[in-house]
Amino acid sequence: MNAHLLLSLPIIWPLLGVALCCMLWSRPRAQRITSLVVSAGLLLSSLALLAATWDGTVLATQFGGWAAPFGISFVGDMLSAAMVVITGLMAVAVGIYGLAGDAEAREAAFYHPLYQGLLLGVTGAFLTGDIFNLYVWFEVMLISSFGLLALGGTREQLDAGVKYVTLNLVATTLFLICVAFLYGLTGSLNMADLARILPTIDNQGLVTTIAVLFLVAFGSKAAVFPLFFWLPASYHTASAPIVAIFAALLTKVGVYAILRSFTLIFDLSLGFTAPVIGIVAALTMVTGVLGAAAHFDVRKILSFHIISQIGYMLLGIAVATPLAIGGAILYVIHHIIVKANLFLLAGVINRAGGSFELKEVGGLYKTLPWLGVLFLVPALSLAGLPPLSGFWSKFVVVKASLDAGHALLAATALAVGVLTLYSMLKIWNEAFWKAAPAASTAATERWLADTGTRRAMLTPIIILAAITMTIGVVAEPFIAFSLRAGEQLLDKSAYVEAVLGPGPQRSAEWQP
Amino acid sequence: MEPVFALAFGVLVAASTYLIMSRNVLRIVLGLLVLGNAANLSIFLAGRMGTRTPPLVPEGATTLVGGANPLPQALILTAIVISFALIAFTVILFESAHRRFGTLDTEALRDAEPKPGPKPAPAAAAAPVAGDVPAAETVR
C-alpha cells in the first residue's frame, strides 16, 4: 500500500463510522454492527501503518495535492503509528464492552456516532503534521466528548458537563491563540517547516514564551497540575464504556501533543521549559495520588490516578534524554491499556457488586475469584509491580531520571508508586475482601444469571489483561521499540525530510 | 493600525477572563464567545495588515502579486464555524442545566462533586435558594 492510503485509512474508517451510524439512526442493531466493523477496520489499517513504519521510516502525504508547507500534511512515524494502533485496540475493546448492560439507553441517545467521532478526532490528532489541523482534530474530539459526557442527561452529568465544557473550551481557545502567535512569528503552520524556521528566529525569548503558552494549552488537555480540575469533576459521571474510552485516549492526546511539539517544534534545551515541566510532573504525580487516597468511589479513585500517571509521562519528557523519551512513550502505551481496563473493571464492580461506592460493595473475591485475579493484573501493573507492564515503564523512566542526575524526581516517582499501591489495595480490600453487604450479594446473583452481559463485559477485560501480562513478561521488544521511537523523535531530520523533501528551502517570504 | 488591533485583542481577552471567572453561567457563555472572537482577531493580526487589496490572481497571470494575506481569512473562517458549533452546544447544555437545577449560580451546581458530609435531600437541592443567587437573577 502506498503512504497516502496507509495514512488516510485510519481517518477514513471512523469517518465512515460517523456517517453510516448517523444514517442508520433508527436502527440500533445495525449501528452496533457498523461500529464494531469500523473499529476493527481502524485496528487493522493502523497495524498496517505500524508495519510500514516499524523499521524507522517516516511516511508523509499531502492532502489536496498542495506541496508541503502550503497544504495539510499527514505524517506517520513510529510514535504516531503506535498511538494509532493503541487507539484501534481501545476502539475494539471498549466497543465490545459497550454492547453490554444499558446499551439500548445509550444507543437511543446517539452513542455510536459520537463514539466514532471521538475516535476520528483522536486518530486525526495523532497523524496530522499541521499545527492548525491539530487544533481542528482537537475540536472534533472535544465536541464528541461533550456529547458522550452528557449522554444520559442526569443532573450529575449536566453539572459535570458545565465544568468540563467550560474548562476545555478555554484550553482549546488558548491553543488557537498560541497557533496564531506562532504563525505571526514564522509565517508557517506546517510542523516540519516550523522545526526548520524556529531555530533561525532572532528573538528566541519570544519562542520560549510561545512554547510555555503551548505547554499551558496542552497541559490542560493532559490534566497536569494545576490545570487538571475538569477531570475529577466530570469523568466519574459518565457511564462505564464512555469513561473508559475517555480515560484511555483524551488526556493521552494532550501528552502526545506535548511530546510532539517539544521534540519537533520547540527545543527542550531552550530557556527554562525542561525544569518547568519537571516541577509540574512531580506536583502532578503527588497531587493526583493524594486525591485518590481521599476518595471511596472507584471511579473517582481511578480518575485521580489518571492525573498522577500523567506525571510519570511528563517526567520522561522533562528529563529529555533518549532513554527518558523512550520511557515516556512506553509509559503512554502501558497506561492506556491498564487504565482503560481498570475503568472497564469498575463497571463490572458496579454491576456485580451493586455500586461504585466502595463502602457498599464487598465479598466479590468469595463469589467471583477470577474477577479478583483480573482486577489484580491491571491494578498491580498500575502500581508498578514486576513482572507486569507498569514495572518496566516505571523502571525505564526512573532509570533515565537517575542517569540524568534528577534523584529528587526519581524519588518522587517511586514514592508515588507506593501510594498507588495503597489505593489499589484499598479497592481490593473493600470490594473483594471484606464481607458482602446484603445489597451487594443480590447484585452478584443478578450478575451470575446474566450470561450475555458477562460475556460482553469480560471479553475485553481478559484481552487487555493478557496484553498487560505480555508486555510484562516479554518486555524486550516493547522497550526496544519505544527507545527507537524516542530516538526518532529527538532526531527531527528524518521527519522534516519526509515532509519537505531534502535540501534547505524556505517556505514563503515573511517579514517579521 | 496594528497597535490598535493588538490593544483590542488585549481588551477582549481581559473582558472574557473577567466574564468566565463569574459565578453566573450566562456570563461564562458570553465570556467564551468573546474569547473565541479574541482568538480570531489574533489570527487576523498574525497574518499582517499591510494592504486592503483582495488576494485575487488577475486574469492572464499565474501568480499572486501583492494583495492581503488570504491564509488568516481561511483559518478564521474555520475557527468561526467550529466556535459557533461549540458555543451552540454550550448554550444548550447550560440551559438544560439551568432548567434542571433552577439556578444559574455555579456554586449551586455541586451534584457531581458534593461537599463532604451527609447528602442533602434532592428536592431541597433542586429548589433555588432565595437570596443566595442575586447576581444570577438580575442578569436575566
Side-chain angles (χ1 to χ4, degrees), chain A residues 147-178:
Chain A
L148 284 173
L149 186 67
L151 203 67
T154 62
R155 273 173 66 101
E156 215 184 21
Q157 287 176 347
L158 289 175
D159 175 17
V162 168
K163 288 153 194 176
Y164 179 84
V165 165
T166 309
L167 290 177
N168 274 291
L169 271 184
V170 171
T172 37
T173 315
L174 178 63
F175 175 26
L176 183 60
I177 293 173
C178 296

PDB file of all heavy atoms in Angstrom, chain A residues 147-178:
ATOM      1  N   GLY A 147     -20.695  15.516  23.847  1.00  0.00           N
ATOM      2  CA  GLY A 147     -21.936  14.767  23.646  1.00  0.00           C
ATOM      3  C   GLY A 147     -21.948  13.494  24.469  1.00  0.00           C
ATOM      4  O   GLY A 147     -22.951  13.159  25.103  1.00  0.00           O
ATOM      5  N   LEU A 148     -20.821  12.767  24.473  1.00  0.00           N
ATOM      6  CA  LEU A 148     -20.775  11.491  25.197  1.00  0.00           C
ATOM      7  C   LEU A 148     -20.927  11.703  26.696  1.00  0.00           C
ATOM      8  O   LEU A 148     -21.589  10.933  27.381  1.00  0.00           O
ATOM      9  CB  LEU A 148     -19.446  10.782  24.913  1.00  0.00           C
ATOM     10  CG  LEU A 148     -19.325  10.109  23.560  1.00  0.00           C
ATOM     11  CD1 LEU A 148     -17.917   9.595  23.352  1.00  0.00           C
ATOM     12  CD2 LEU A 148     -20.306   8.962  23.431  1.00  0.00           C
ATOM     13  N   LEU A 149     -20.305  12.775  27.208  1.00  0.00           N
ATOM     14  CA  LEU A 149     -20.344  13.007  28.652  1.00  0.00           C
ATOM     15  C   LEU A 149     -21.768  13.297  29.114  1.00  0.00           C
ATOM     16  O   LEU A 149     -22.201  12.814  30.146  1.00  0.00           O
ATOM     17  CB  LEU A 149     -19.420  14.173  29.009  1.00  0.00           C
ATOM     18  CG  LEU A 149     -19.251  14.434  30.497  1.00  0.00           C
ATOM     19  CD1 LEU A 149     -18.504  13.288  31.145  1.00  0.00           C
ATOM     20  CD2 LEU A 149     -18.504  15.727  30.738  1.00  0.00           C
ATOM     21  N   ALA A 150     -22.499  14.086  28.316  1.00  0.00           N
ATOM     22  CA  ALA A 150     -23.845  14.488  28.723  1.00  0.00           C
ATOM     23  C   ALA A 150     -24.903  13.537  28.175  1.00  0.00           C
ATOM     24  O   ALA A 150     -26.083  13.851  28.194  1.00  0.00           O
ATOM     25  CB  ALA A 150     -24.117  15.914  28.256  1.00  0.00           C
ATOM     26  N   LEU A 151     -24.487  12.357  27.716  1.00  0.00           N
ATOM     27  CA  LEU A 151     -25.386  11.435  27.017  1.00  0.00           C
ATOM     28  C   LEU A 151     -26.609  11.063  27.842  1.00  0.00           C
ATOM     29  O   LEU A 151     -27.726  11.039  27.340  1.00  0.00           O
ATOM     30  CB  LEU A 151     -24.591  10.173  26.667  1.00  0.00           C
ATOM     31  CG  LEU A 151     -25.094   9.318  25.528  1.00  0.00           C
ATOM     32  CD1 LEU A 151     -24.952  10.066  24.229  1.00  0.00           C
ATOM     33  CD2 LEU A 151     -24.285   8.041  25.451  1.00  0.00           C
ATOM     34  N   GLY A 152     -26.396  10.765  29.121  1.00  0.00           N
ATOM     35  CA  GLY A 152     -27.505  10.311  29.952  1.00  0.00           C
ATOM     36  C   GLY A 152     -28.448  11.435  30.349  1.00  0.00           C
ATOM     37  O   GLY A 152     -29.605  11.200  30.647  1.00  0.00           O
ATOM     38  N   GLY A 153     -27.937  12.671  30.395  1.00  0.00           N
ATOM     39  CA  GLY A 153     -28.762  13.816  30.750  1.00  0.00           C
ATOM     40  C   GLY A 153     -29.201  13.837  32.203  1.00  0.00           C
ATOM     41  O   GLY A 153     -30.185  14.484  32.537  1.00  0.00           O
ATOM     42  N   THR A 154     -28.483  13.140  33.092  1.00  0.00           N
ATOM     43  CA  THR A 154     -28.837  13.210  34.510  1.00  0.00           C
ATOM     44  C   THR A 154     -28.321  14.519  35.099  1.00  0.00           C
ATOM     45  O   THR A 154     -27.496  15.200  34.491  1.00  0.00           O
ATOM     46  CB  THR A 154     -28.205  12.047  35.290  1.00  0.00           C
ATOM     47  OG1 THR A 154     -26.779  12.171  35.177  1.00  0.00           O
ATOM     48  CG2 THR A 154     -28.622  10.712  34.728  1.00  0.00           C
ATOM     49  N   ARG A 155     -28.814  14.849  36.289  1.00  0.00           N
ATOM     50  CA  ARG A 155     -28.366  16.077  36.960  1.00  0.00           C
ATOM     51  C   ARG A 155     -26.857  16.080  37.140  1.00  0.00           C
ATOM     52  O   ARG A 155     -26.180  17.077  36.886  1.00  0.00           O
ATOM     53  CB  ARG A 155     -29.020  16.153  38.342  1.00  0.00           C
ATOM     54  CG  ARG A 155     -30.369  16.798  38.371  1.00  0.00           C
ATOM     55  CD  ARG A 155     -30.969  16.642  39.744  1.00  0.00           C
ATOM     56  NE  ARG A 155     -30.213  17.369  40.744  1.00  0.00           N
ATOM     57  CZ  ARG A 155     -30.583  18.563  41.226  1.00  0.00           C
ATOM     58  NH1 ARG A 155     -31.664  19.135  40.771  1.00  0.00           N
ATOM     59  NH2 ARG A 155     -29.866  19.174  42.133  1.00  0.00           N
ATOM     60  N   GLU A 156     -26.334  14.941  37.586  1.00  0.00           N
ATOM     61  CA  GLU A 156     -24.904  14.821  37.830  1.00  0.00           C
ATOM     62  C   GLU A 156     -24.110  15.097  36.547  1.00  0.00           C
ATOM     63  O   GLU A 156     -23.120  15.816  36.544  1.00  0.00           O
ATOM     64  CB  GLU A 156     -24.630  13.403  38.330  1.00  0.00           C
ATOM     65  CG  GLU A 156     -23.546  13.297  39.341  1.00  0.00           C
ATOM     66  CD  GLU A 156     -23.277  11.844  39.696  1.00  0.00           C
ATOM     67  OE1 GLU A 156     -23.638  10.961  38.900  1.00  0.00           O
ATOM     68  OE2 GLU A 156     -22.705  11.611  40.765  1.00  0.00           O
ATOM     69  N   GLN A 157     -24.598  14.523  35.433  1.00  0.00           N
ATOM     70  CA  GLN A 157     -23.867  14.673  34.173  1.00  0.00           C
ATOM     71  C   GLN A 157     -23.948  16.092  33.644  1.00  0.00           C
ATOM     72  O   GLN A 157     -22.979  16.600  33.075  1.00  0.00           O
ATOM     73  CB  GLN A 157     -24.414  13.693  33.139  1.00  0.00           C
ATOM     74  CG  GLN A 157     -23.987  12.267  33.439  1.00  0.00           C
ATOM     75  CD  GLN A 157     -24.603  11.273  32.495  1.00  0.00           C
ATOM     76  OE1 GLN A 157     -25.532  11.589  31.756  1.00  0.00           O
ATOM     77  NE2 GLN A 157     -24.092  10.058  32.512  1.00  0.00           N
ATOM     78  N   LEU A 158     -25.106  16.756  33.818  1.00  0.00           N
ATOM     79  CA  LEU A 158     -25.216  18.145  33.365  1.00  0.00           C
ATOM     80  C   LEU A 158     -24.262  19.024  34.155  1.00  0.00           C
ATOM     81  O   LEU A 158     -23.575  19.883  33.595  1.00  0.00           O
ATOM     82  CB  LEU A 158     -26.654  18.636  33.530  1.00  0.00           C
ATOM     83  CG  LEU A 158     -27.663  18.036  32.565  1.00  0.00           C
ATOM     84  CD1 LEU A 158     -29.054  18.512  32.907  1.00  0.00           C
ATOM     85  CD2 LEU A 158     -27.322  18.409  31.132  1.00  0.00           C
ATOM     86  N   ASP A 159     -24.196  18.792  35.451  1.00  0.00           N
ATOM     87  CA  ASP A 159     -23.293  19.557  36.302  1.00  0.00           C
ATOM     88  C   ASP A 159     -21.844  19.344  35.858  1.00  0.00           C
ATOM     89  O   ASP A 159     -21.087  20.300  35.641  1.00  0.00           O
ATOM     90  CB  ASP A 159     -23.501  19.099  37.748  1.00  0.00           C
ATOM     91  CG  ASP A 159     -22.524  19.745  38.704  1.00  0.00           C
ATOM     92  OD1 ASP A 159     -21.928  20.752  38.323  1.00  0.00           O
ATOM     93  OD2 ASP A 159     -22.373  19.238  39.830  1.00  0.00           O
ATOM     94  N   ALA A 160     -21.475  18.063  35.673  1.00  0.00           N
ATOM     95  CA  ALA A 160     -20.117  17.760  35.227  1.00  0.00           C
ATOM     96  C   ALA A 160     -19.859  18.370  33.857  1.00  0.00           C
ATOM     97  O   ALA A 160     -18.776  18.901  33.597  1.00  0.00           O
ATOM     98  CB  ALA A 160     -19.922  16.246  35.175  1.00  0.00           C
ATOM     99  N   GLY A 161     -20.874  18.308  32.973  1.00  0.00           N
ATOM    100  CA  GLY A 161     -20.726  18.846  31.626  1.00  0.00           C
ATOM    101  C   GLY A 161     -20.406  20.324  31.632  1.00  0.00           C
ATOM    102  O   GLY A 161     -19.544  20.781  30.883  1.00  0.00           O
ATOM    103  N   VAL A 162     -21.077  21.098  32.493  1.00  0.00           N
ATOM    104  CA  VAL A 162     -20.838  22.540  32.545  1.00  0.00           C
ATOM    105  C   VAL A 162     -19.357  22.808  32.811  1.00  0.00           C
ATOM    106  O   VAL A 162     -18.716  23.601  32.129  1.00  0.00           O
ATOM    107  CB  VAL A 162     -21.720  23.180  33.638  1.00  0.00           C
ATOM    108  CG1 VAL A 162     -21.287  24.604  33.909  1.00  0.00           C
ATOM    109  CG2 VAL A 162     -23.173  23.141  33.227  1.00  0.00           C
ATOM    110  N   LYS A 163     -18.790  22.097  33.781  1.00  0.00           N
ATOM    111  CA  LYS A 163     -17.387  22.351  34.138  1.00  0.00           C
ATOM    112  C   LYS A 163     -16.439  21.846  33.053  1.00  0.00           C
ATOM    113  O   LYS A 163     -15.485  22.520  32.670  1.00  0.00           O
ATOM    114  CB  LYS A 163     -17.073  21.682  35.480  1.00  0.00           C
ATOM    115  CG  LYS A 163     -17.745  22.420  36.616  1.00  0.00           C
ATOM    116  CD  LYS A 163     -18.036  21.535  37.784  1.00  0.00           C
ATOM    117  CE  LYS A 163     -19.004  22.252  38.723  1.00  0.00           C
ATOM    118  NZ  LYS A 163     -19.413  21.422  39.826  1.00  0.00           N
ATOM    119  N   TYR A 164     -16.717  20.645  32.564  1.00  0.00           N
ATOM    120  CA  TYR A 164     -15.866  20.044  31.539  1.00  0.00           C
ATOM    121  C   TYR A 164     -15.838  20.914  30.289  1.00  0.00           C
ATOM    122  O   TYR A 164     -14.773  21.226  29.749  1.00  0.00           O
ATOM    123  CB  TYR A 164     -16.412  18.648  31.210  1.00  0.00           C
ATOM    124  CG  TYR A 164     -15.655  17.893  30.158  1.00  0.00           C
ATOM    125  CD1 TYR A 164     -14.538  17.164  30.488  1.00  0.00           C
ATOM    126  CD2 TYR A 164     -16.078  17.907  28.834  1.00  0.00           C
ATOM    127  CE1 TYR A 164     -13.842  16.466  29.525  1.00  0.00           C
ATOM    128  CE2 TYR A 164     -15.388  17.213  27.862  1.00  0.00           C
ATOM    129  CZ  TYR A 164     -14.270  16.490  28.212  1.00  0.00           C
ATOM    130  OH  TYR A 164     -13.579  15.814  27.254  1.00  0.00           O
ATOM    131  N   VAL A 165     -17.028  21.350  29.837  1.00  0.00           N
ATOM    132  CA  VAL A 165     -17.121  22.139  28.610  1.00  0.00           C
ATOM    133  C   VAL A 165     -16.400  23.470  28.779  1.00  0.00           C
ATOM    134  O   VAL A 165     -15.599  23.863  27.925  1.00  0.00           O
ATOM    135  CB  VAL A 165     -18.607  22.351  28.239  1.00  0.00           C
ATOM    136  CG1 VAL A 165     -18.762  23.440  27.214  1.00  0.00           C
ATOM    137  CG2 VAL A 165     -19.214  21.054  27.738  1.00  0.00           C
ATOM    138  N   THR A 166     -16.646  24.165  29.900  1.00  0.00           N
ATOM    139  CA  THR A 166     -16.051  25.486  30.073  1.00  0.00           C
ATOM    140  C   THR A 166     -14.524  25.402  30.077  1.00  0.00           C
ATOM    141  O   THR A 166     -13.852  26.089  29.307  1.00  0.00           O
ATOM    142  CB  THR A 166     -16.529  26.108  31.395  1.00  0.00           C
ATOM    143  OG1 THR A 166     -17.940  26.023  31.436  1.00  0.00           O
ATOM    144  CG2 THR A 166     -16.088  27.533  31.505  1.00  0.00           C
ATOM    145  N   LEU A 167     -13.974  24.527  30.923  1.00  0.00           N
ATOM    146  CA  LEU A 167     -12.518  24.493  31.050  1.00  0.00           C
ATOM    147  C   LEU A 167     -11.859  24.016  29.762  1.00  0.00           C
ATOM    148  O   LEU A 167     -10.810  24.521  29.367  1.00  0.00           O
ATOM    149  CB  LEU A 167     -12.114  23.618  32.231  1.00  0.00           C
ATOM    150  CG  LEU A 167     -12.454  24.245  33.583  1.00  0.00           C
ATOM    151  CD1 LEU A 167     -12.100  23.326  34.723  1.00  0.00           C
ATOM    152  CD2 LEU A 167     -11.729  25.566  33.752  1.00  0.00           C
ATOM    153  N   ASN A 168     -12.487  23.050  29.072  1.00  0.00           N
ATOM    154  CA  ASN A 168     -11.878  22.568  27.839  1.00  0.00           C
ATOM    155  C   ASN A 168     -11.976  23.589  26.714  1.00  0.00           C
ATOM    156  O   ASN A 168     -11.069  23.695  25.889  1.00  0.00           O
ATOM    157  CB  ASN A 168     -12.503  21.246  27.414  1.00  0.00           C
ATOM    158  CG  ASN A 168     -11.820  20.086  28.089  1.00  0.00           C
ATOM    159  OD1 ASN A 168     -10.674  19.782  27.799  1.00  0.00           O
ATOM    160  ND2 ASN A 168     -12.500  19.463  29.013  1.00  0.00           N
ATOM    161  N   LEU A 169     -13.086  24.354  26.676  1.00  0.00           N
ATOM    162  CA  LEU A 169     -13.191  25.394  25.645  1.00  0.00           C
ATOM    163  C   LEU A 169     -12.137  26.468  25.854  1.00  0.00           C
ATOM    164  O   LEU A 169     -11.517  26.938  24.893  1.00  0.00           O
ATOM    165  CB  LEU A 169     -14.580  26.024  25.678  1.00  0.00           C
ATOM    166  CG  LEU A 169     -15.634  25.353  24.809  1.00  0.00           C
ATOM    167  CD1 LEU A 169     -16.925  26.152  24.868  1.00  0.00           C
ATOM    168  CD2 LEU A 169     -15.157  25.263  23.378  1.00  0.00           C
ATOM    169  N   VAL A 170     -11.908  26.858  27.109  1.00  0.00           N
ATOM    170  CA  VAL A 170     -10.879  27.859  27.385  1.00  0.00           C
ATOM    171  C   VAL A 170      -9.517  27.332  26.913  1.00  0.00           C
ATOM    172  O   VAL A 170      -8.747  28.039  26.259  1.00  0.00           O
ATOM    173  CB  VAL A 170     -10.857  28.206  28.882  1.00  0.00           C
ATOM    174  CG1 VAL A 170      -9.658  29.067  29.214  1.00  0.00           C
ATOM    175  CG2 VAL A 170     -12.127  28.912  29.282  1.00  0.00           C
ATOM    176  N   ALA A 171      -9.246  26.043  27.208  1.00  0.00           N
ATOM    177  CA  ALA A 171      -7.938  25.482  26.849  1.00  0.00           C
ATOM    178  C   ALA A 171      -7.753  25.441  25.335  1.00  0.00           C
ATOM    179  O   ALA A 171      -6.693  25.821  24.827  1.00  0.00           O
ATOM    180  CB  ALA A 171      -7.801  24.080  27.437  1.00  0.00           C
ATOM    181  N   THR A 172      -8.778  25.013  24.590  1.00  0.00           N
ATOM    182  CA  THR A 172      -8.580  24.937  23.138  1.00  0.00           C
ATOM    183  C   THR A 172      -8.504  26.322  22.524  1.00  0.00           C
ATOM    184  O   THR A 172      -7.781  26.522  21.546  1.00  0.00           O
ATOM    185  CB  THR A 172      -9.696  24.164  22.414  1.00  0.00           C
ATOM    186  OG1 THR A 172     -10.909  24.442  23.027  1.00  0.00           O
ATOM    187  CG2 THR A 172      -9.430  22.690  22.383  1.00  0.00           C
ATOM    188  N   THR A 173      -9.253  27.298  23.077  1.00  0.00           N
ATOM    189  CA  THR A 173      -9.141  28.646  22.525  1.00  0.00           C
ATOM    190  C   THR A 173      -7.746  29.209  22.766  1.00  0.00           C
ATOM    191  O   THR A 173      -7.173  29.868  21.902  1.00  0.00           O
ATOM    192  CB  THR A 173     -10.217  29.568  23.132  1.00  0.00           C
ATOM    193  OG1 THR A 173     -11.449  28.879  23.133  1.00  0.00           O
ATOM    194  CG2 THR A 173     -10.349  30.831  22.346  1.00  0.00           C
ATOM    195  N   LEU A 174      -7.188  28.898  23.944  1.00  0.00           N
ATOM    196  CA  LEU A 174      -5.811  29.316  24.208  1.00  0.00           C
ATOM    197  C   LEU A 174      -4.863  28.666  23.196  1.00  0.00           C
ATOM    198  O   LEU A 174      -3.941  29.312  22.683  1.00  0.00           O
ATOM    199  CB  LEU A 174      -5.409  28.917  25.633  1.00  0.00           C
ATOM    200  CG  LEU A 174      -3.974  29.260  26.010  1.00  0.00           C
ATOM    201  CD1 LEU A 174      -3.765  30.765  25.982  1.00  0.00           C
ATOM    202  CD2 LEU A 174      -3.612  28.706  27.369  1.00  0.00           C
ATOM    203  N   PHE A 175      -5.107  27.403  22.892  1.00  0.00           N
ATOM    204  CA  PHE A 175      -4.310  26.702  21.879  1.00  0.00           C
ATOM    205  C   PHE A 175      -4.391  27.441  20.544  1.00  0.00           C
ATOM    206  O   PHE A 175      -3.371  27.687  19.881  1.00  0.00           O
ATOM    207  CB  PHE A 175      -4.833  25.261  21.776  1.00  0.00           C
ATOM    208  CG  PHE A 175      -4.200  24.416  20.703  1.00  0.00           C
ATOM    209  CD1 PHE A 175      -2.919  24.673  20.233  1.00  0.00           C
ATOM    210  CD2 PHE A 175      -4.888  23.331  20.175  1.00  0.00           C
ATOM    211  CE1 PHE A 175      -2.346  23.880  19.246  1.00  0.00           C
ATOM    212  CE2 PHE A 175      -4.330  22.540  19.197  1.00  0.00           C
ATOM    213  CZ  PHE A 175      -3.053  22.821  18.722  1.00  0.00           C
ATOM    214  N   LEU A 176      -5.608  27.877  20.168  1.00  0.00           N
ATOM    215  CA  LEU A 176      -5.779  28.591  18.899  1.00  0.00           C
ATOM    216  C   LEU A 176      -5.001  29.905  18.911  1.00  0.00           C
ATOM    217  O   LEU A 176      -4.355  30.272  17.916  1.00  0.00           O
ATOM    218  CB  LEU A 176      -7.269  28.846  18.656  1.00  0.00           C
ATOM    219  CG  LEU A 176      -7.633  29.520  17.344  1.00  0.00           C
ATOM    220  CD1 LEU A 176      -7.164  28.685  16.167  1.00  0.00           C
ATOM    221  CD2 LEU A 176      -9.130  29.733  17.243  1.00  0.00           C
ATOM    222  N   ILE A 177      -5.039  30.621  20.049  1.00  0.00           N
ATOM    223  CA  ILE A 177      -4.296  31.879  20.146  1.00  0.00           C
ATOM    224  C   ILE A 177      -2.788  31.613  20.015  1.00  0.00           C
ATOM    225  O   ILE A 177      -2.065  32.351  19.343  1.00  0.00           O
ATOM    226  CB  ILE A 177      -4.634  32.590  21.477  1.00  0.00           C
ATOM    227  CG1 ILE A 177      -6.096  33.044  21.463  1.00  0.00           C
ATOM    228  CG2 ILE A 177      -3.733  33.779  21.713  1.00  0.00           C
ATOM    229  CD1 ILE A 177      -6.592  33.605  22.769  1.00  0.00           C
ATOM    230  N   CYS A 178      -2.327  30.509  20.635  1.00  0.00           N
ATOM    231  CA  CYS A 178      -0.908  30.134  20.511  1.00  0.00           C
ATOM    232  C   CYS A 178      -0.545  29.875  19.057  1.00  0.00           C
ATOM    233  O   CYS A 178       0.533  30.269  18.589  1.00  0.00           O
ATOM    234  CB  CYS A 178      -0.607  28.876  21.302  1.00  0.00           C
ATOM    235  SG  CYS A 178      -0.826  29.015  23.044  1.00  0.00           S
TER     236      CYS A 178
END
